[in-house]
């Protein structure tokens, strides 16, 4: 109950007290239920393995939701973010205009936007997100909601795998090049031709424009270009490389 008590004086001078008790049981139950639901939804948002944010599109795209993972990724607690827009805070430095452009595009088209982005947060950490941005209408209000899945670890593993594959391919190329050179040496009786053939194989495999063999003096004081290979259309340069001190 909520009790209201008023004292007043009647025209004939009598003192009167008026009291009323209002039953707010249903209202309090509804408020309690609403608070429980809000806490329940907040708990879900904070336990999701994703970054979740919501902006009020009718009030300068100010944040109304900023979940726990966003706090961890940016170092910005929700208390510092809620009620502000991207130009008033910098959880992802230098991205305010890009974020606003994406929000306006969504508002103009109404079509859900999906994209991948590599971005650095205020903590200095770099993240790779798979992001989905969508427009939500509630009554007469419009909200921009975005869910970002952190794919940084998967991207790192993918890049590492690609690097390993490239390294293996390089080793295979080196092995093939060596085998080809050994075959040339085995079947070619002319030493100079064998060396030139090997330079051709090595230069071609390396994607080079020039490939040389130098002879060095025993004391290391002089070098002399003994053999040269150049790709077609490129002039040779053996002359200046003769007897270099």
């Amino acid at each position: 109950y909520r009790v209201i008590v008023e004292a007043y004086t009647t025209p004939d001078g009598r003192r009167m007290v008026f009291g009323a008790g209002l039953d707010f049981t249903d209202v309090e139950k509804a408020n309690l239920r609403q608070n429980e639901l809000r806490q329940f939804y907040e708990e879900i948002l904070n336990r999701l393995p994703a970054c979740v944010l919501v902006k009020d599109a009718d009030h300068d795209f100010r944040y109304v939701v900023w979940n726990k993972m966003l706090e961890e990724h940016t170092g910005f607690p929700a208390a510092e973010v809620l009620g502000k827009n991207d130009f008033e805070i910098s959880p992802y430095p230098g991205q305010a205009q890009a974020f606003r452009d994406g929000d306006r595009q969504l508002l103009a088209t109404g079509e859900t936007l999906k994209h991948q982005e590599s971005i650095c947060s205020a903590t200095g950490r770099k993240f790779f997100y798979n992001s989905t941005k969508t427009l939500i209408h509630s009554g007469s209000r419009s909200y921009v909601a975005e869910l970002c899945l952190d794919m940084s670890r998967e991207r790192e593993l993918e890049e590492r795998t690609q690097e390993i594959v490239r390294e293996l391919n390089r080793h295979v190329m080196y092995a093939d090049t060596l085998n080809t050179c050994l075959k040339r040496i085995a079947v070619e009786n002319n030493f100079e031709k064998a060396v030139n053939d090997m330079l051709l194989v090595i230069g071609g495999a390396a994607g080079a424009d020039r490939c040389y063999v130098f002879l060095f003096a025993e004391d290391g004081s002089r070098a002399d270009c003994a053999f040269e290979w150049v790709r077609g259309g490129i002039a040779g340069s053996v002359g200046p490389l003769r007897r270099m001190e």
Side-chain angles (χ1 to χ4, degrees):
Y1 286 96
R2 290 186 182 179
V3 178
I4 301 174
V5 178
E6 294 280 349
Y8 67 98
T9 303
T10 64
D12 59 4
R14 289 180 299 170
R15 295 284 295 169
M16 305 289 289
V17 176
F18 171 80
L22 302 178
D23 183 3
F24 276 84
T25 303
D26 291 339
V27 175
E28 290 299 328
K29 285 183 177 180
N31 288 337
L32 180 61
R33 177 58 177 165
Q34 186 176 12
N35 289 334
E36 289 175 347
L37 286 173
R38 182 168 59 251
Q39 293 175 0
F40 176 68
Y41 294 144
E42 288 178 355
E43 187 69 15
I44 292 176
L45 288 175
N46 288 331
R47 289 183 178 274
L48 284 174
C51 296
V52 181
L53 61 89
V54 179
K55 303 174 187 178
D56 189 340
D58 297 320
H59 289 81
D60 201 25
F61 298 99
R62 297 185 180 277
Y63 287 95
V64 295
V65 171
W66 185 264
N67 79 334
K68 194 71 174 178
M69 184 166 282
L70 277 168
E71 291 184 337
E72 295 172 356
H73 282 199
T74 64
F76 275 68
E80 294 183 15
V81 175
L82 299 182
K84 297 187 174 91
N85 63 39
D86 289 308
F87 294 98
E88 297 171 334
I89 53 175
S90 297
Y92 295 97
Q95 298 297 318
Q97 189 60 55
F99 290 161
R100 179 58 60 89
D101 291 343
D103 294 340
R104 291 195 180 283
Q105 179 184 352
L106 176 67
L107 201 61
T109 64
E111 297 179 357
T112 296
L113 302 176
K114 295 184 178 181
H115 61 282
Q116 296 181 334
E117 56 186 343
S118 181
I119 191 170
C120 190
S121 80
T123 64
R125 296 170 60 194
K126 189 175 183 179
F127 296 94
F128 184 81
Y129 293 127
N130 273 348
S131 302
T132 301
K133 182 179 293 190
T134 190
L135 194 61
I136 297 176
H137 298 286
S138 179
S140 60
R141 305 287 288 274
S142 297
Y143 297 91
V144 173
E146 187 166 2
L147 184 145
C148 306
L149 295 175
D150 180 14
M151 306 299 292
S152 304
R153 178 59 177 165
E154 289 78 0
R155 182 61 175 265
E156 180 182 344
L157 290 174
E158 180 183 349
E159 291 178 350
R160 179 57 182 156
T161 299
Q162 291 174 352
E163 178 58 31
I164 291 174
V165 171
R166 287 193 293 268
E167 185 67 22
L168 289 174
N169 287 336
R170 282 195 291 270
H171 284 297
V172 171
M173 181 195 70
Y174 296 152
D176 289 343
T177 301
L178 178 59
N179 288 333
T180 301
C181 290
L182 291 175
K183 290 178 182 178
R184 295 290 177 93
I185 294 175
V187 300
E188 182 58 62
N189 295 322
N190 186 313
F191 175 75
E192 291 189 2
K193 187 175 187 309
V195 174
N196 286 323
D197 286 347
M198 285 191 293
L199 291 181
L200 170 64
V201 172
I202 294 171
D209 292 327
R210 302 174 185 272
C211 195
Y212 303 97
V213 173
F214 283 88
L215 296 178
F216 288 85
E218 291 185 3
D219 60 2
S221 63
R222 188 178 68 254
D224 191 8
C225 180
F227 298 93
E228 176 191 37
W229 169 85
V230 294
R231 187 176 296 278
I234 298 177
S237 58
V238 172
L241 302 178
R242 294 288 190 185
R243 302 183 63 82
M244 295 189 300
E245 299 294 333

